[in-house]
Amino acid sequence: MIYLKLFLSFLMIGTVSFGGGYGMISLIRETVLENGWLGEGEFMNFIAVSESTPGPLAINIATFVGSSQGGFFGAVCATLGVVLPSFIIILIIAAIIKNLLKYGGVNAFLSGVRPCIVAMILATAVIMALDTLFSFKAVGSGFSPNIKSILLFVFLILLSSVYRRIRKKNISPIFMIILSAGCGIILFGAQPLS
């Protein structure tokens, strides 16, 4: 039954993930691809949409994946699965332990987990960049640069750098998302969903 599988898969992801939505992306990607729920390209599109919509990234991805596999109830099951562990952990922490960070063991645990989270986020970013910019899926697979994607990537980095240098502050992420979406429509053309 797809609803139970969605719930349990996202429950596991929510339970073992630290670092918020970005830390979960690699686990969600692995689960989604392993179960054949989405292809690599579809998954990257879901991430783009999840980034563009209001709300936490992991919850948005879970909702979109659940919806794609089981409609409304699939979305509810996947979302509940990814949210429930954090909700329970926060309730326990709030009810039982106050000033948790004053304990050396907790700080040591978090200090050990942080590098892992950074590595998972970085690895996911590199994998997505290689696939998007160079159509590189795995070692031994073909390598063909996507000129439009590379040009768009370079343009956005240059725009951000120039803006930061001139205005002495970072460009608005909302503006960058809207600009990227517009450029994507112009460069790649609006294609109907299949």
Side-chain angles (χ1 to χ4, degrees):
M1 180 170 205
I2 189 67
Y3 303 123
L4 182 61
K5 191 164 188 175
L6 283 165
F7 176 76
L8 292 176
S9 295
F10 281 97
L11 182 70
M12 185 272 304
I13 290 167
T15 303
V16 299
S17 295
F18 293 93
Y22 294 106
M24 292 181 181
I25 289 177
S26 63
L27 290 174
I28 294 172
R29 178 183 173 274
E30 181 181 317
T31 302
V32 165
L33 296 177
E34 185 177 290
N35 286 303
W37 291 336
L38 299 173
E40 184 76 41
E42 291 173 307
F43 180 70
M44 285 195 281
N45 289 340
F46 274 43
I47 290 176
V49 171
S50 296
E51 275 288 331
S52 304
T53 54
L57 177 68
I59 295 172
N60 289 346
I61 293 174
T63 303
F64 292 143
V65 170
S67 176
S68 74
Q69 297 306 304
F72 174 77
F73 292 110
V76 169
C77 290
T79 303
L80 187 60
V82 82
V83 169
L84 197 57
S86 299
F87 180 73
I88 291 171
I89 290 168
I90 294 300
L91 272 180
I92 291 170
I93 290 171
I96 296 175
I97 301 172
K98 292 183 180 179
N99 299 323
L100 187 63
L101 293 177
K102 71 181 178 183
Y103 298 109
V106 171
N107 283 323
F109 171 80
L110 293 175
S111 294
V113 169
R114 281 187 197 113
C116 178
I117 294 166
V118 171
M120 288 173 56
I121 293 169
L122 185 60
T124 302
V126 168
I127 289 168
M128 290 174 59
L130 287 172
D131 186 31
T132 301
L133 301 176
F134 303 105
S135 301
F136 183 76
K137 307 274 185 209
V139 175
S141 68
F143 181 81
S144 71
N146 184 332
I147 301 301
K148 290 180 185 178
S149 293
I150 293 170
L151 289 175
L152 180 57
F153 183 73
V154 170
F155 167 72
L156 293 172
I157 287 175
L158 288 175
L159 176 68
S160 178
S161 298
V162 168
Y163 186 88
R164 189 178 311 125
R165 185 166 295 237
I166 292 172
R167 301 288 300 243
K168 306 291 186 225
K169 65 179 185 176
N170 290 332
I171 197 166
S172 165
I174 295 171
F175 173 76
M176 290 296 280
I177 289 170
I178 292 170
L179 178 64
S180 299
C183 290
I185 290 170
I186 293 168
L187 287 174
F188 300 101
Q191 299 173 3
L193 296 173
S194 51

